[in-house]
Amino acid sequence: MIKKFIRKILGVKDQRNPTEPVVLGFEQHRIDPKLVSPNAIRLTQTLQEAGFKAFVVGGAVRDLLLGVKPKDFDIATDATPEQVKKLFRRAFIIGRRFQIVHVMFGQELLEVTTFRGAGSANAPKDEHGRVLRDNNFGPQHEDAARRDFTINAMYYDPATQTVLDYHGGIEDIRDKTLRIIGVPEARYREDPVRMLRVVRFAAKLGFTIEPTTRAPIPVMAPLIDNVPAARVFDEMLKLLLSGHALACLKELRSAGLHHGLLPLLDVVLEQPIGMKFVTLALESTDARVKAGKGVSPGFLFASLLWHQVLEKWTAYRAAGEAPIPALHLAADDVLETQTENLALQRRIATDMRDIWAMQPRFERRAGRAPYKLLENPRFRAGYDFLLLRCASGELDAELGEWWSAFYEAESGERERLVTQANARPAAGEKKKRAPRRGPRKNAGEGNAGADTGTAAPAAAAAAPGPAQE
């Protein structure tokens, strides 16, 4: 009764498969025109003046309804890609399966898609039901039905300031509910990546996943294994760089989707030090994204997979390998597995390896070693990683504090710090042992159940997070 009353107030029709949208005027949607990209307005206006329909669509409309300025503006139209290209000087048709048009206005890129038609029952599918190829043009109401969630299936016309809502998306936004369009099982089988998108949007927006939308996910999660690894990696990267990475990973675990995506992640998050390390890395990433700062995917994945490397590093050393060769072998093992599972790009894998390989060098503070390390082009990434290790309790806080002081000091002060770090003990004092190269004894095992303690204020304050590109 309450929902029907709300629908009546908003003018929303109670239709399961609507072919006619509910038209919402400014008084109902209250979108601030100042949040709309001037170039998106210009693009839709140009298409409309040429006799075509054109709307801002998808996530941009969702964000506008939430009062948030969208990062990207996608446009949907009934014009074909060729017709769109003719209207704009800097327009480029891309894609093989389903062509879209990229239109450039200065540095801003707008993506223009032609309305997609309803899927065909005869569309090619794999043995698990995933649609392999089904791209054809169609009317707007079929385009809306093909979108994944109700909150992403609305169309905004900047010229008339109206929103077309085919599936009750405005109501779900106000209820903070994430609901898939159509039968959840069928939509997930068509494209298993939608299960990852459910998690990402729920965590990012702070929405509740509607029960029937959520229910099939734990059972159907294995279908993600059939999706090309590159596509899964792209979606994982969006999830981790959403500004809500920690919430996303928690939601992944809650929904039963984490298995196979980052193997052993469950084990890491159940260990005190591992959990603290990953939590610190993700919190730092989220803070940087929200502040509009850059984040290195290599640093992020190096952080997430570090405790797998640490475990193997310890095992190789226990088998008699020297510390540095043992670290390289451990990195090789982890990267080989993850490259297969997540299609890690070579550049990202190289960044990860560089960050890991630098860690033993931070424990060498004698002679010219600190100065040489400071000149390494990847020093800042390795240094930030070191601070995470110290803040999590894996290494002594003193090491991070020393490197923070050395990094910020002038040449004279640096010499004093090096001398101090390697000074002979005073008479009667017990001689300090030289720092070990590689992890401390039992770093990958004994520390897992130890008290994580409190991170050193200097190290924690200095840690800027994964900013290094």
Side-chain angles (χ1 to χ4, degrees), residues 239-250:
L239 184 150
L240 293 171
L241 301 180
S242 66
H244 303 271
L246 188 58
C248 283
L249 283 188
K250 289 180 179 178

Side-chain angles (χ1 to χ4, degrees), residues 133-165:
R133 186 172 60 258
D134 183 22
N135 295 291
N136 55 285
F137 302 143
Q140 187 175 17
H141 71 271
E142 291 184 1
D143 183 79
R146 291 194 62 148
R147 296 184 180 273
D148 45 14
F149 309 113
T150 60
I151 63 172
N152 290 341
M154 289 177 283
Y155 303 76
Y156 175 65
D157 182 356
T160 61
Q161 293 192 44
T162 56
V163 171
L164 305 188
D165 183 6

Side-chain angles (χ1 to χ4, degrees), residues 71-116:
K71 292 183 178 179
D72 302 297
F73 286 84
D74 294 336
I75 309 299
T77 178
D78 59 352
T80 65
E82 292 77 11
Q83 290 170 328
V84 174
K85 188 176 187 303
K86 290 179 180 178
L87 293 173
F88 301 95
R89 183 173 60 86
R90 299 180 64 197
F92 311 92
I93 297 177
I94 66 169
R96 295 180 180 178
R97 291 173 49 194
F98 187 80
Q99 293 184 329
I100 60 178
V101 184
H102 282 174
V103 180
M104 298 294 299
F105 291 94
Q107 296 299 312
E108 184 175 13
L109 183 150
L110 300 178
E111 187 171 284
V112 184
T113 59
T114 303
F115 294 147
R116 299 177 67 183

Side-chain angles (χ1 to χ4, degrees), residues 291-426:
K293 299 179 180 179
V295 177
S296 164
F299 187 100
L300 185 54
F301 279 99
S303 300
L304 290 175
L305 299 174
W306 170 241
H307 278 74
Q308 293 179 38
V309 173
L310 194 58
E311 181 181 0
K312 291 181 179 293
W313 188 12
T314 303
Y316 275 120
R317 293 188 66 210
E321 287 285 351
I324 301 303
L327 177 56
H328 288 297
L329 288 171
D332 288 343
D333 288 350
V334 172
L335 287 174
E336 183 178 353
T337 300
Q338 293 305 329
T339 298
E340 180 179 349
N341 290 343
L342 282 175
L344 286 170
Q345 299 170 6
R346 180 176 298 179
R347 178 181 61 83
I348 293 177
T350 299
D351 289 347
M352 294 165 65
R353 189 186 299 276
D354 289 345
I355 291 169
W356 293 335
M358 250 189 285
Q359 297 312 300
R361 297 179 62 186
F362 282 104
E363 299 194 43
R364 298 168 55 193
R365 292 180 278 177
R368 300 299 302 170
Y371 296 94
K372 290 181 180 179
L373 185 55
L374 202 61
E375 295 171 358
N376 190 305
R378 301 289 296 153
F379 168 82
R380 187 58 191 247
Y383 163 71
D384 288 348
F385 198 86
L386 170 73
L387 294 185
L388 284 178
R389 295 176 68 200
C390 293
S392 70
E394 179 193 331
L395 294 176
D396 289 337
E398 183 273 334
L399 184 61
E401 292 172 341
W402 188 91
W403 273 101
S404 294
F406 184 78
Y407 175 61
E408 297 170 0
E410 299 295 337
S411 58
E413 177 64 12
R414 284 176 178 172
E415 292 178 6
R416 188 191 67 79
L417 287 168
V418 171
T419 301
Q420 184 182 60
N422 297 279
R424 298 174 64 86

